Amino acid sequence: MTPVESKQPGQASAANESQRVFREHVELLMDRLYGTALRLTRNPDEAEDVVGEAVASAWQRLDQLNDLSHLDGWLFRILHNTFISLRRRRYCREDKEVSFDQEMEDDDTRFSLFEHLHQPFLLWVGRPEKEFINRLLEADLRKAVDHLPDPFRIVVVMVEIQGYTYEEVAAILDLPLGTVRSRLNRARSLLQKSLWQQGRDAGLIGTNTGFRVGDRR
Amino acid sequence: MNTPELSCEEVIERLFEFLDRELDDVSQEEIDRHLKRCYDCFSRAEFERRLRERIAATGSQKAPERLKKRIRELTE
Ligand SMILES: [Zn+2]
């Protein structure tokens, strides 16, 4: 299945070149495409479907991409759009999310790990907040991201993993900019709170909120 | 041209937007300047940056062979 039906020899070689570059990039981006889809869906099978469908759709529309240097960004954009439309097909339109935005309590938007960890008077034992981050396992971070409710997790993935601007997120999710901002604030707060709780459970933090110097295996 | 110096509270308030590069150039520059002379805010910014790097790393996971095969077949 070739995306571009070419009529002239020059066009044919340009199309072949695009296809070659496409294959190469997809191969290189595979783990990031899958990882991003996995964070979005939290489900390995669904993540495979999202990547498969996104790549298929990009492959078929390859002739619409004018500049191959934009290929990576274009692919991720299609990945996000694929995820969003699959999700809309699966769950009916987001009535649940309205209450997510309304129920925001002040406390939920203001939790700061740094404030909980930072102890300026403890300079001589090093930097507790730095140590804390270094000691977190990748599994801890994955868990904290995956625990976020959908609307919050999606904006975190888009901004912190993908590096999209707030405006790009608003456009992709079809949400007002203010909603993107407030969800992002709350998402970060929830994420940091859950890392704090996990750190506590793993013994990285003492009970009196002081940092405990202990090994973690 | 002198702009009034930002307080630590103002910097913390906008720290995430600063890290996300969502502020205009002037504000971006103001915060940058504050971070160069305020160790507390600098530590906090470094903390958030590092945390973010670790979160960003969760966006890369080893793709299963089955998926790779599916993609190869698709783009043959
Ligand atoms: Zn300061």
Side-chain angles (χ1 to χ4, degrees):
Chain A
M1 182 172 59
T2 35
V4 188
E5 288 295 328
S6 34
K7 286 154 197 128
Q8 284 157 22
Q11 283 180 331
S13 61
N16 284 339
E17 175 62 5
S18 303
Q19 290 172 14
R20 190 188 60 77
V21 173
F22 184 89
R23 278 191 210 100
E24 226 173 71
H25 276 242
V26 168
E27 181 102 24
L28 288 171
L29 291 173
M30 209 54 212
D31 292 352
R32 279 182 56 211
L33 288 166
Y34 177 68
T36 303
L38 192 56
R39 290 286 79 73
L40 289 169
T41 59
R42 299 188 276 200
N43 174 313
D45 289 336
E46 262 183 71
E48 281 192 45
D49 282 343
V50 169
V51 176
E53 210 169 294
V55 172
S57 131
W59 177 252
Q60 271 161 30
R61 285 189 274 157
L62 191 52
D63 58 328
Q64 290 171 19
L65 179 70
N66 295 319
D67 186 346
L68 278 177
S69 67
H70 296 156
L71 179 61
D72 296 9
W74 183 69
L75 258 175
F76 276 102
R77 178 90 180 208
I78 294 177
L79 181 86
H80 280 275
N81 286 329
T82 305
F83 165 73
I84 300 300
S85 62
L86 276 179
R87 194 167 155 271
R88 285 195 180 131
R89 249 181 278 159
R90 226 156 265 184
Y91 315 94
C92 7
R93 178 127 183 115
E94 328 175 359
D95 14 34
K96 256 164 56 185
E97 294 187 12
V98 177
S99 63
F100 271 122
D101 290 317
Q102 284 166 347
E103 279 166 19
M104 239 184 265
E105 303 214 351
D106 217 34
D107 184 47
D108 281 346
T109 61
R110 292 190 175 272
F111 187 92
S112 157
L113 249 185
F114 183 86
E115 282 170 13
H116 279 72
L117 293 165
H118 184 60
Q119 295 177 19
F121 54 90
L122 274 182
L123 278 174
W124 60 90
V125 284
R127 309 281 303 286
E129 71 274 7
K130 223 171 170 173
E131 278 292 299
F132 181 84
I133 292 192
N134 292 340
R135 279 159 194 257
L136 286 173
L137 305 175
E138 207 207 288
D140 296 329
L141 290 139
R142 279 201 303 263
K143 196 169 155 195
V145 174
D146 290 358
H147 263 96
L148 291 171
D150 271 11
F152 303 112
R153 198 180 62 261
I154 293 166
V155 293
V156 161
V157 172
M158 289 180 144
V159 172
E160 301 222 336
I161 298 180
Q162 222 54 60
Y164 285 130
T165 64
Y166 300 172
E167 261 180 55
E168 286 170 322
V169 176
I172 294 174
L173 297 178
D174 191 20
L175 287 172
L177 202 56
T179 309
V180 172
R181 279 175 198 279
S182 58
R183 283 190 190 176
L184 192 59
N185 277 340
R186 194 178 176 197
R188 282 172 163 150
S189 168
L190 289 170
L191 189 69
Q192 298 205 355
K193 201 179 207 171
S194 116
L195 286 172
W196 168 256
Q197 280 156 354
Q198 286 184 58
R200 198 174 238 179
D201 294 346
L204 297 183
I205 303 152
T207 41
N208 55 354
T209 75
F211 179 71
R212 207 177 78 189
V213 187
D215 268 331
R216 182 165 183 208
R217 292 271 169 253
Chain B
M1 199 174 66
N2 272 324
T3 39
E5 297 291 344
L6 291 177
S7 68
C8 293
E9 289 72 29
E10 288 170 311
V11 171
I12 300 308
E13 191 64 38
R14 287 191 280 168
L15 188 57
F16 281 115
E17 282 172 293
F18 167 80
L19 295 172
D20 293 336
R21 310 218 133 266
E22 288 285 336
L23 300 171
D24 58 75
D25 291 349
V26 176
S27 313
Q28 204 77 24
E29 177 59 35
E30 275 174 355
I31 294 185
D32 220 16
R33 233 182 309 137
H34 182 99
L35 295 181
K36 284 196 177 108
R37 25 170 212 83
C38 175
Y39 189 66
D40 277 351
C41 290
F42 174 79
S43 311
R44 184 157 181 163
E46 283 304 293
F47 174 84
E48 302 298 352
R49 268 199 200 109
R50 178 80 189 108
L51 181 58
R52 186 196 183 117
E53 273 172 25
R54 296 224 48 198
I55 291 168
T58 67
S60 184
Q61 304 289 320
K62 187 119 194 57
E65 279 309 316
R66 185 176 63 173
L67 177 61
K68 289 187 185 166
K69 189 165 166 274
R70 177 171 166 187
I71 301 294
R72 272 196 298 270
E73 285 168 0
L74 196 82
T75 55
E76 251 162 22

